[in-house]
Structures are given as C-alpha cells and as structure tokens.
Amino acid sequence: MDYYSKQINQLVESLSMLPGIGAKTAQRLAFHILSMPKEDARRLSDSIRDARENVRYCEQCFTLTDDVLCPICKDAKRNHKVIMVVENTRDLAAYEKTGKYDGVYHVLHGAISPMLGIGPGDIRLKELMQRLQKDVDEVIIATNSSLEGETTAMYMSKLIKPTGIKVTRIASGVPVGGDLEYIDEVTLLRALEGRTEL
Amino acid sequence: MDYYSKQINQLVESLSMLPGIGAKTAQRLAFHILSMPKEDARRLSDSIRDARENVRYCEQCFTLTDDVLCPICKDAKRNHKVIMVVENTRDLAAYEKTGKYDGVYHVLHGAISPMLGIGPGDIRLKELMQRLQKDVDEVIIATNSSLEGETTAMYMSKLIKPTGIKVTRIASGVPVGGDLEYIDEVTLLRALEGRTEL
C-alpha cells in the first residue's frame, strides 16, 4: 500500500473498510474517483457526510429519516391504525415499492437472536408497545421468514395479544413465479398449511 | 428510489455512480455508512474530497501524487537514467511492489488505440520525448501486452530509436507457475520466440 502517495493510500484504505470491497476493488474505485469530475467527487463526499450526520430515527416508527418524523408517519392519508412491524428500513422500502400498503410501519432494527445474544430489549419492541397504547386496529408482523424473524414474530404476538389488538403475520409460501421443483421442503409444507379455499 | 428520505436517496444515488456498484450494492453500502461510527464516515467523506481536490500529476513522470514531484522522482537514490514507461499509475504500483526496480517511471495515462480514437497526441508521449533530452541511458517499455499496449510500444520505439537511447521491452511469455496446457497459443509462440540460452 506504499506505492501511491499518502492521500491516494488514505482513500484506498477508507474505501476498503466498506463491506464487500476488497483491496483490489478499493483501488479500482479510488482511481475512478480520482478521474471523476470534481463536482461529482464533491457530491459523493458531501452525500456521505450529510447522510451520516443528519439521518436519524423517526420518533414514531424508528425508520431512518432526515426529520423528526419520517414522510410516512407525517402523511395524514395513511392509515395510522394499522402498523406493519419490519426488521429494518430496507424491509420497509421493499413493502413501499409494492405501492399497495397504506398503513404505517414500525422498524425494530433487528430481530431476537439468542445465538447472537440479541434479546427483546435490544430491538425497538418497548417503543412499539408504547405506540399500541394509542388507538390501533391491527399489527401486521412482517419480520423475515428466518429463525430469528419467526422467533421475534412469536414473541411479539404473545406480548400484543393480551391488549386485544388484532395481530397478523404475512403469509409464508411458494413465491409467485416459483417452480415447486426448486422450492425447499419447509416452504412447501408452509404453503400447504396455509392453503386457502378457492 | 423514493422509499427512503432525501439524504439517504442522495447517498444511494452517488454510490451507484461508482463502477461495478449496482442499485442493490449501493443500498447495502449506504446503510452500512449510516451505521458506521461518525468519525469513520467523516474520514471516508474527507478522503474522497481531499484526494480528488489535491491529487495531481507529478510534473516529471505524470503519475498521480499529492505534490509537485512524486516520491519516486524526488528520491535521489533511484537511477534517474533509466525510465520505465507504463500505461497508468496502477501499473507503476505493480512494478513498485516487486521492490526490485530502482529506476524511475513515465506514466502515459493510456495507450494508442485507433479503435477508441486515442492517438499519440492523447497520451503523455510528448512529455516523455522532452524528458529524453536530458541524460537518459535506457527506456524500458512496460505497456500492457494487449493490442493497444503493443501498438504503443512499437510507435514509441520508432520514435525513440533515432535519439540513440537504448529502448527495451519487458518480456512476454509463460507466467511463472503457469501451466502450458492452459496458456493461449499467442503467448506460447511469444515464449518460444523470446527463448534464452541456459
């Protein structure tokens, strides 16, 4: 790493700290940045700094946003009585992309994982329970279909049910366009259990 | 891209302008940056800005550096009478990694390519010819072994030979550890032509 000048080395080093960016890729990116128009490099630099300094958690749903409340929580047109609980902001974005969900969200920032030592106190569960003291009709649990996601869903449903609020879980089954031949057995069994009448 | 707040979108967009970084990877990197310690994000941001604003061409060999002259051109211990000509700063770094070359370099920043419309005037050839007016013993041409690299090497040797300065080309052949079975025919023929007596 001593073959370049100090600032190039520093750039390569900073870039190689990013996930999935090895030494070779960091070098390639660094030389690309050095050949970029100055304003583009400046924009990249600023967007990193601004995002990291200004992005914070929405005070209501805890998604990552620039403001006290995120655009979804601020939106009066959304149904604030239906809360979809997701593990992270990317999962929220995945449902927003469908364009069909008009409720609001709650972002846990993780899932319960005894293996990794993440307990119910380490995710935004307490904050969810506080939100449920207001007028809420339904909590849709949309944690991942992984061991951790299922554990979290189970734990949450036990916690919420005594409040009398309706708790639902998104369906597990064969993905649309999926070929049965290539789907794992657990998913096939889930699809069978969750069958609906036509 | 409208599922996140403005600053997150901007960050994802800037990152996805980098080569080899698609929308999904940009998203993953953006959320990683948002979860980084503030000082690390700041360091990344600063290193991009500083490198792009301050890195320039060495006035002698045209490699990318922070100063008027690069560390190699400044080094009195290097043999300034032997100049290795490379296509770019990464190629220079590749030879520096060997730790065995004690001459200096000249970085062309490209190679002649009629296909891409890059002529001799588009690379740092004129600057090399100016350097050769000083006391130089040998020019080692280390352009790539590609069509463009070979064309450039040929062109340069014709240009330099009349000055009486010795012009050499790095050897082409079977890479060390290479298995003949998997080496292309052109390389095998080159290795045969370039054979040396034992």
Side-chain angles (χ1 to χ4, degrees), chain A residues 26-41:
Chain A
Q27 230 177 77
R28 196 164 47 83
L29 291 177
F31 281 100
H32 178 84
I33 288 168
L34 290 172
S35 70
M36 264 161 87
K38 274 200 181 175
E39 59 270 36
D40 286 1

Side-chain angles (χ1 to χ4, degrees), chain A residues 21-124:
Chain A
I21 308 276
K24 283 267 168 193
T25 310
Q27 230 177 77
R28 196 164 47 83
L29 291 177
F31 281 100
H32 178 84
I33 288 168
L34 290 172
S35 70
M36 264 161 87
K38 274 200 181 175
E39 59 270 36
D40 286 1
R42 178 124 233 169
R43 198 175 313 134
L44 175 61
S45 164
D46 288 351
S47 66
I48 290 170
R49 197 196 48 225
D50 292 350
R52 185 61 192 86
E53 311 251 305
N54 303 327
V55 170
R56 48 167 147 173
Y57 297 123
C58 166
E59 287 195 355
Q60 189 161 293
C61 76
F62 295 92
T63 191
L64 292 162
T65 187
D66 310 340
D67 212 342
V68 179
L69 286 180
C70 73
I72 297 168
C73 284
K74 267 191 230 163
D75 191 347
K77 274 183 249 152
R78 310 278 301 218
N79 181 355
H80 288 255
K81 292 187 173 178
V82 176
I83 300 178
M84 180 185 281
V85 182
V86 291
E87 291 185 23
N88 59 51
T89 301
R90 270 163 298 172
D91 296 344
L92 177 158
Y95 257 101
E96 279 301 284
K97 271 177 211 167
T98 68
K100 298 289 183 196
Y101 176 67
D102 78 335
V104 292
Y105 295 91
H106 188 86
V107 182
L108 293 174
H109 291 284
I112 295 169
S113 167
M115 288 263 286
L116 297 171
I118 301 170
D122 300 317
I123 58 178
R124 302 281 187 176

